[in-house]
């Protein structure tokens, strides 16, 4: 489903991703962990075309983007790539002047050109999926952080992506609200959605991930199934990280 080969990304003189190689299979749930500044978010943003590549290539659902491509061709392929991927950010990025339902259907109406009445039926379906149909007419300011993030997930799902990318989706939430968002993500995993999740939620990684990837200083240092990774990481850097975060 996803193939990343020798991916390099720099901001000025700072090389954030250093020849990253990654393969994601259909229906696989991969959780990426690591210290701040390790390149996790930048990797997700490259996969969704939000950051350009300085080297290497990415292939998502058969759509290839590499460093040698013309700007015109790259833009075309990024548009195609985004039809396959949904992304949920740390901040919810909802339009404050739109209701929950209006936020969910905005992409359907403006990008997919779905008639509004049909879009509203689909929007209600996905709000129901995340347990928020009763909040469809509420504005973001009247929703809790957990509810806003669930609306953001519904908005991404409404576009019917094949892959979901989550960038620390619970980091901006109060602790008591984390569970409701992770529950929605767990349901998606059970349904077979291909997912890449950047997260510090180790419990979610243990229970839901098929594979855990540990990044540091722009590189993938270690990867494995959760049981092996959490029980006996093979690198000293991963052991040190887990000792700090699981204390």
């Amino acid at each position: 489903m996803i193939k990343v080969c020798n991916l390099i990304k720099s901001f000025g003189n700072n090389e954030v991703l250093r020849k990253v190689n990654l393969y994601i299979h259909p229906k696989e749930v991969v959780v990426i962990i690591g210290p701040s500044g390790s390149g996790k978010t930048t990797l997700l943003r490259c996969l969704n075309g939000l950051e350009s590549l300085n080297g290497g290539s990415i292939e998502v659902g058969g759509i290839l983007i590499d460093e040698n491509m013309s700007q015109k061709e790259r833009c075309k392929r990024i548009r195609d790539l985004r039809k396959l991927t949904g992304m949920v950010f740390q901040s919810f990025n909802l339009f404050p002047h739109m209701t929950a339902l209006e936020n969910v259907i905005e992409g359907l109406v403006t990008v997919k050109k779905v008639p509004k009445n049909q879009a509203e039926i689909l929007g209600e379906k996905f709000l129901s999926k995340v347990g928020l149909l009763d909040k469809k007419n509420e504005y973001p300011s009247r929703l809790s952080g957990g509810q806003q993030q669930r609306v953001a997930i519904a908005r991404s799902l409404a576009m019917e992506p094949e892959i979901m990318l989550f960038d620390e989706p619970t980091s901006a939430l109060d602790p008591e609200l984390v569970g409701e968002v992770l529950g929605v993500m767990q349901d998606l995993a059970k349904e077979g959605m291909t997912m890449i999740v950047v997260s510090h939620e180790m419990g979610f990684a243990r229970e839901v991930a098929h594979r855990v990837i540990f990044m540091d200083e722009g590189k993938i240092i270690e990867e494995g199934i959760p049981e092996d990774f959490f029980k006996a990481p093979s690198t000293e850097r991963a052991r040190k990280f887990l000792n700090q975060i699981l204390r």
Side-chain angles (χ1 to χ4, degrees):
M1 184 65 81
I2 297 175
K3 183 179 180 181
V4 178
C5 293
N6 294 320
L7 176 59
I8 297 172
K9 176 61 187 176
S10 300
F11 296 102
N13 295 323
N14 182 24
E15 194 172 62
V16 178
L17 296 176
R18 305 177 181 185
K19 293 190 174 182
V20 171
N21 292 283
L22 175 65
Y23 302 88
I24 307 291
H25 302 290
K27 299 186 179 182
E28 188 175 23
V29 178
V30 173
V31 175
I32 303 177
I33 66 173
S36 297
S38 59
K40 308 182 300 294
T41 290
T42 302
L43 174 57
L44 281 196
R45 291 175 65 86
C46 286
L47 291 176
N48 200 35
L50 292 172
E51 299 290 352
S52 59
L53 317 182
N54 295 116
S57 66
I58 63 171
E59 185 175 337
V60 179
I63 300 168
L64 176 67
I65 298 174
D66 64 36
E67 58 186 307
N68 300 316
M69 203 165 281
S70 70
Q71 185 67 22
K72 182 178 180 181
E73 180 63 21
R74 184 179 301 179
C75 288
K76 178 183 180 300
R77 295 197 186 186
I78 286 174
R79 285 196 298 270
D80 292 338
L81 180 153
R82 286 179 179 163
K83 294 176 184 176
L84 298 177
T85 59
M87 188 156 180
V88 177
F89 301 87
Q90 297 179 42
S91 53
F92 322 124
N93 294 334
L94 299 180
F95 294 112
H97 63 288
M98 293 182 176
T99 65
L101 181 59
E102 288 169 341
N103 267 282
V104 171
I105 69 171
E106 178 65 14
L108 289 171
V109 174
T110 60
V111 178
K112 287 194 167 184
K113 308 301 182 185
V114 177
K116 188 175 180 181
N117 61 332
Q118 294 180 29
E120 288 178 344
I121 293 171
L122 288 170
E124 289 179 353
K125 169 187 169 184
F126 287 104
L127 281 174
S128 179
K129 188 179 184 69
V130 299
L132 288 176
L133 183 58
D134 61 328
K135 301 291 185 180
K136 69 177 183 178
N137 294 319
E138 297 285 0
Y139 289 91
S141 62
R142 293 179 58 85
L143 300 174
S144 70
Q147 289 170 336
Q148 289 186 60
Q149 191 63 293
R150 284 151 64 195
V151 171
I153 293 173
R155 178 178 57 186
S156 288
L157 292 176
M159 301 299 284
E160 299 186 313
E162 295 183 19
I163 301 158
M164 286 290 289
L165 308 175
F166 292 89
D167 183 18
E168 299 194 29
T170 61
S171 64
L173 301 180
D174 293 333
E176 65 267 23
L177 301 177
V178 168
E180 63 188 61
V181 174
L182 293 181
V184 171
M185 294 168 63
Q186 192 163 6
D187 289 342
L188 289 177
K190 290 177 182 176
E191 292 168 9
M193 175 66 76
T194 305
M195 297 165 58
I196 305 179
V197 183
V198 170
S199 181
H200 291 297
E201 298 293 338
M202 297 299 111
F204 178 85
R206 285 178 187 270
E207 295 173 22
V208 182
H210 297 112
R211 189 159 38 116
V212 175
I213 289 174
F214 175 69
M215 290 186 68
D216 190 33
E217 296 184 345
K219 297 179 180 179
I220 292 177
I221 304 298
E222 183 173 348
E223 60 182 291
I225 62 173
E227 183 179 1
D228 292 344
F229 178 79
F230 286 107
K231 185 178 294 184
S234 61
T235 62
E236 179 59 32
R237 183 66 187 93
R239 283 194 290 272
K240 182 178 179 181
F241 177 79
L242 289 177
N243 284 338
Q244 290 176 332
I245 204 166
L246 295 177
R247 280 188 301 192

